[in-house]
Amino acid sequence: MADRIVLNTISYHGAGAIKEIPGEIQRRGYKKVFVCSDPDLVKFGVTAKVTDLLDEAGIDHALYSEIKPNPTIQNVVDGVEAFKAAGADCIVTIGGGSSMDTAKAIGVIINNPEFADVRSLEGVAPTKNHAVFTIAVPTTAGTAAEVTINYVITDVEKVRKFVCVDTNDAPEVAVVDPDMMASMPAGLTAATGMDALTHAIEGYTTKAAWELTDMFHLEAIKLISENLRDSVAEAKEHKGGSGREGMALAQYIAGMGFSNVGLGVDHAMAHTLSAHYDTPHGVACAMLLPIAMEFNKPVVTERLARVAVAMGVDTAGMSVEEAADAAIAAVKQLSEDVNIPKVCEAITEDELDQITRDAMADACFPGNPREATFDDVKDMFRKIMK
Ligand SMILES: NC(=O)c1ccc[n+]([C@@H]2O[C@H](COP(=O)([O-])OP(=O)(O)OC[C@H]3O[C@@H](n4cnc5c(N)ncnc54)[C@H](O)[C@@H]3O)[C@@H](O)[C@H]2O)c1
Ligand SMILES: [Fe+2]
């Protein structure tokens, strides 16, 4: 099969980029915007940074913000009804992965109503029509949902998160403005930044990786290693700066890569932790990252050695094996420097078999470069238990 790259039609980057939004809507003749955001972002005035611009331009809009972190099927179903009730004809989504993923599912269902149950969108769904025209504005620097062809929804009843992969969900326009991320607290900055690093490293070592995605992933790893610590420091001082700017770009570049080749066992296990224990996605990814790298090392030693170089490690004089170990050590150090926890206290011995089965059923699992057995996955979960 041919290699394939899907990206936004247009993306804007840099401080002040949100000023482009009204023009993008007006030039296409849309009349009413469905704004999809979350309650905290509305409360803290982050959503208003964009809706104020819509008001100034005289663009009519309706707000939907019934979205929780790790968004649920119900959030999507309610959103579809709200979209219809609003009489909207386009979407502007403002938020982290949770808001953007919900908006993607809503936009897909509006134009493909046969998938209104949401569950049938899992995996590669055979939707016929592209989602409603969407402009995605990330407020975290991690998921890159503004450029990916994926979205992740939680099935509360079945206690699982499921990944949907569909080229019809890619937002036409992404607006990646570091000012929209400036209010992230330090913990969220760290967790979402480590999610981006996990995308870049898993994407670089996944089965389907190829030259074009390698290019994106290596650059993302370099930029994250250079900027995440500064970004967290800026968060502590409640200010923007070069760290924030670097991370806004880095996470997007990682998304340009992994969206097109998939991930691996880390994300499969992380989705399971979030479904069972509501663990924030980035924290789950980060805790598991050195463990998954160690597991995959025998089949991707050389690639991990190149990760070490991208992370700024001086590998001169090291064997390939030593350089791969140095990459794992660098990831652990970065996690420690930005205060990522090492254990998930909620996991209990009697749930281990169930979460292992769930992780192995996740859509990211087959992309892992090394085949992982039930016992392998269970052992990896054990390593983050108290
Ligand atoms: N679509 C994809 O390709 C993709 C990739 C990775 C993860 N995800 C999914 O994305 C979700 C996680 O998204 P996330 O990590 O971006 O977080 P999130 O969207 O779940 O937000 C987490 C919390 O941070 C707050 N927040 C967001 N931006 C803020 C800001 N600028 N200032 C202050 N608070 C802010 C939100 O209000 C929310 O309470 C998960 O469901 C995950 O599975 C999707
Ligand atoms: Fe992720």
Side-chain angles (χ1 to χ4, degrees), residues 75-146:
N75 293 156
V76 175
V77 171
D78 293 346
V80 168
E81 287 315 308
F83 183 97
K84 289 180 190 161
D89 54 8
C90 67
I91 297 175
V92 173
T93 176
I94 303 154
S98 297
S99 298
M100 293 191 282
D101 283 1
T102 307
K104 284 173 162 181
I106 295 169
V108 164
I109 292 171
I110 290 293
N111 282 355
N112 300 272
E114 64 276 27
F115 292 95
D117 69 304
V118 190
R119 284 195 181 100
S120 58
L121 288 163
E122 180 171 2
V124 183
T127 58
K128 293 188 188 72
N129 306 309
H130 198 89
V132 173
F133 172 81
T134 297
I135 300 180
V137 188
T139 63
T140 59
T143 71
E146 70 277 12

Side-chain angles (χ1 to χ4, degrees), residues 189-190 223-236 243 247 311 329-338:
T189 305
L223 286 173
I224 294 164
S225 306
E226 289 170 355
N227 289 291
L228 183 55
R229 289 179 184 86
D230 289 348
S231 184
V232 172
E234 287 161 11
K236 287 180 183 156
M247 282 306 298
M311 292 191 77
V331 166
K332 282 185 182 158
Q333 188 61 53
L334 180 54
S335 262
E336 206 170 305
D337 291 349
V338 298

Side-chain angles (χ1 to χ4, degrees), residues 38-41 44 46 68-71 95-99 101 104 139-140 142-145 148-152 161 180-185 188 192 195 199 258 267 271 281-282:
D38 79 35
D40 287 344
L41 292 170
F44 299 127
V46 181
K68 68 174 280 298
N70 298 316
S98 297
S99 298
D101 283 1
K104 284 173 162 181
T139 63
T140 59
T143 71
T148 71
I149 56 168
N150 318 313
Y151 52 101
V152 192
K161 276 184 98 164
M180 294 298 290
M181 302 153 184
S183 54
M184 271 197 292
L188 183 65
T192 53
D195 181 25
H199 295 155
F258 87 86
H267 265 75
H271 290 148
H281 176 70

